Amino acid sequence: MAETWKIGFISLGCSKNLCDTEVMLKHVLDAGYEITPEETEADIVIINTCGFIESAKKESIDNILDVAWLKKNHTLKGIVVTGCLAERYREQVLREIPEIDAVLGVGGIHKIVEAIESVAANYKAYSKKGKAALVPEDKKYVCFDSYEKCALGGERVVTTGGGMAYLKIAEGCSNRCTYCAIPLIRGGLRSRTMKDIVEEAVCLDAMGIKELNLIAQDTTSYGIDIYGHYALPELIRAICDATKIPWIRLLYCYPDKITDELVAELRDNDRLVKYIDIPIQHISDSVLKRMNRHGTSDTIRDAVARLRREVPGIVLRTTAIVGFPGETEEDFTALAEFLKETKFERFGAFTYSREEDTPAYDFEEQVDEQTAQDRYDILMKEQVLVSEAYNNSRVGTTVRVICEGFDPVSEAHFGRSYGEAADIDGKIWFTTPDDKIRVAEGEMLDVKITDALDYDLVGEALLNI
């Protein structure tokens, strides 16, 4: 091992990918390497990529090219590419970007230290006068172990800050939506055992984590493969029994699997925040059928109605895809009207991304990009009004907030209540009774909301000083 070498990390894509990055960080630190947040100071940069949709692939490639420039023009000695883009386009990545020294698929991240050691050895063998050289392709480190070796869990370095952590409870997906490449990249659903998840939750509790975000490609499918039934409510209770973590949040819960037991858990469990992410993707039955989404428009409406009826104050987040092949003006109008009447507190739209090797790629009646963009703009313009009205309704209320930090420019702290998920929703900006008071990151406190913006809220901390 080159003990003095510094390793930099770039983590792209979703929170599930971030968990993989955190596992790699732990492996690298345990091996004795130093981690640097500055790419210009690193000897080797590891880029954990996303390859889900076109915009994510472009972001991944742009980051690789930026780091490749550092290798050619600066002191960077090696580049390791991991993650979904590497898994999906393994041959192209190596062939088209020769500056890359090692490639690991999603099942190979447990070999990250081996990859680093190989890159270091190749640098010594092929560098000239201290300058990095292009390593012959047959000498590069390549590992594409099976999907089964995806990082389902294990020790990791939590990087999220703000007292929050993600906890991946399953890998892969078996839903087989016709637009989605995830099963091609990460395989079918593989749930972690409840024992394994609870043990990790206990470790996170010991680290002082105040908010635990349970994630998977389809969180509500948890347990069906190993226990024979949807076991998410049982898992939540097991985590609550074993830890004192005050907030547990559910993300990526499919509407066709919102069971009465899960609704009851949301209603009755004070530590399960009244927030749920339920991606609907559309409301037109014909579009849902072509997407191979499980359930119908009635399934979606029923899930929303039960959650709103049984769980007072619940915040619902959803996403929808516009421009899917065959989406007619009538289909889109039905979606727009449903969203307008339902008024999801949190909503994000996406234009359809045509992904090779997915069934939808070959569907007829592909919608042109401008039409898809116009439909996206219509939905998001309406959502600004919904979000604004919801935020205005919260003015004058007092909410529990987890502090994420202090912004010296605005001279205000910022954080989130139960109604805002990290990274995807807005923030609550708040001042303290005394300008000299600094609230610690991860501390929970009460904040009175005094003003509302389009997506953020403003408030005053209620502190005894």
Side-chain angles (χ1 to χ4, degrees), residues 59 88 186 262 371:
E59 181 186 23
R88 192 175 180 190
R186 290 185 174 264
L262 182 59
T371 298

Side-chain angles (χ1 to χ4, degrees), residues 75-198:
T75 58
L76 186 68
K77 299 177 177 68
I79 302 172
V80 181
V81 176
T82 68
C84 291
L85 185 82
E87 179 72 40
R88 192 175 180 190
Y89 300 103
R90 55 185 74 178
E91 292 86 4
Q92 296 97 313
V93 165
L94 280 170
R95 182 176 65 248
E96 297 178 15
I97 311 178
E99 290 83 6
I100 295 171
D101 299 283
V103 179
L104 302 179
V106 295
I109 66 171
H110 60 293
K111 293 185 178 178
I112 186 62
V113 173
E114 288 183 22
I116 290 171
E117 291 172 349
S118 174
V119 172
N122 281 339
Y123 176 79
K124 293 177 181 178
Y126 296 103
S127 63
K128 298 179 180 179
K129 296 181 179 179
K131 288 287 185 179
L134 296 181
V135 176
E137 192 164 327
D138 63 340
K139 298 297 183 182
K140 296 182 179 183
Y141 187 93
V142 179
C143 176
F144 289 94
D145 282 351
S146 70
Y147 299 138
E148 305 301 324
K149 293 188 177 180
C150 287
L152 292 180
E155 294 186 16
R156 57 192 173 100
V157 176
V158 176
T159 62
T160 39
M164 184 276 289
Y166 294 106
L167 180 53
K168 183 161 60 170
I169 64 175
E171 182 59 86
C173 185
S174 298
N175 289 326
R176 300 287 174 177
C177 299
T178 57
Y179 53 81
C180 184
I182 291 299
L184 303 174
I185 300 170
R186 290 185 174 264
L189 173 72
R190 299 181 306 288
S191 299
R192 296 173 62 185
T193 65
M194 209 169 294
K195 178 177 181 293
D196 189 37
I197 295 170
V198 171

Side-chain angles (χ1 to χ4, degrees), residues 209-226:
I209 293 300
K210 302 291 180 61
E211 178 185 349
L212 197 59
N213 290 263
L214 303 187
I215 57 172
Q217 196 63 35
D218 173 3
T219 307
T220 34
S221 283
Y222 172 75
I224 191 68
D225 55 325
I226 57 176

